[in-house]
Amino acid sequence: MRGGQDQAASELFAVLYPRLAGWCRRLVDDDGTAHEIASEAFTRLWARWTSVEEPGGFLYVTAANLVRDHWRKLERERRAVRRVVTETAVVGHAEQADPSVRMLVQSLPERLRVPILLHYYADMPIREVSALTGRKEGTVKADLHAARELLRAHLRRSLDHTR
């Protein structure tokens, strides 16, 4: 009997996994995360295989719950980033006489400042910065490059004025 269950599970996986992963992809906007969620939903199904009456429904409900958990995690991370950015800005106002790199980073537009803070100050890899900000890795790399160029130009001007 076990062979029949394995066969049924394999067929279900072949039919539903691509659709489930695609559905998750549209909700989380990231291939890797979508596949992790779809895989986890199937793992949870396999653990209850003999007691689940409607495997397709179980998969989608489980995936929806995992997506919701993912969104909540992202929101917590966004709040933490906003808190760090706000704290950094508040601390920076007390140091206005010092044209430090920190102040220059704070003066960057948010679109450029957040990736700099996450990548260089929080030591996050570009992939994580991409996931946290909801931007593609290439966009994060371009923003980091643009931010470095702006910082470089500001530093040159600061050095020129101090001479």
Side-chain angles (χ1 to χ4, degrees):
M1 183 65 187
R2 182 71 184 159
Q5 288 179 345
D6 288 346
Q7 179 66 30
S10 293
E11 289 172 7
L12 181 74
F13 183 83
V15 170
L16 287 183
Y17 183 85
R19 288 184 14 212
L20 182 65
W23 180 73
C24 292
R25 169 68 172 88
R26 287 188 299 279
L27 294 173
V28 299
D29 199 31
D30 178 66
D31 286 333
T33 303
H35 284 284
E36 287 175 20
I37 290 171
S39 296
E40 178 63 22
F42 270 94
T43 300
R44 292 182 184 191
L45 173 63
W46 301 152
R48 296 166 183 79
W49 182 247
T50 57
S51 63
V52 173
E53 290 182 32
E54 178 50 52
F58 179 89
L59 286 169
Y60 277 89
V61 168
T62 301
N65 290 335
L66 292 169
V67 165
R68 186 189 65 231
D69 292 345
H70 172 74
W71 287 342
R72 286 178 178 163
K73 178 184 172 206
L74 284 180
E75 184 53 34
R76 284 191 305 270
E77 290 169 346
R78 284 187 188 114
R79 278 193 302 255
V81 168
R82 281 194 299 269
R83 194 169 38 250
V84 167
V85 169
T86 302
E87 289 170 2
T88 303
V90 168
V91 169
H93 289 300
E95 303 171 354
Q96 289 210 354
D98 176 24
S100 67
V101 173
R102 175 183 273 172
M103 280 187 54
L104 293 174
V105 168
Q106 291 169 349
S107 72
L108 291 171
E110 183 175 352
R111 183 187 107 255
L112 302 177
R113 184 178 60 238
V114 170
I116 287 285
L117 290 172
L118 293 175
H119 186 64
Y120 292 107
Y121 287 78
D123 201 30
M124 290 185 184
I126 288 174
R127 183 170 190 219
E128 282 184 47
V129 175
S130 171
L132 279 174
T133 60
R135 299 180 195 149
K136 294 181 179 179
E137 288 184 34
T139 303
V140 170
K141 289 176 184 178
D143 288 346
L144 288 170
H145 175 74
R148 286 190 305 267
E149 289 302 313
L150 277 173
L151 292 172
R152 189 173 290 124
H154 285 302
L155 285 171
R156 278 192 195 117
R157 281 197 302 273
S158 294
L159 291 173
D160 289 343
H161 291 308
T162 59
R163 291 181 184 170

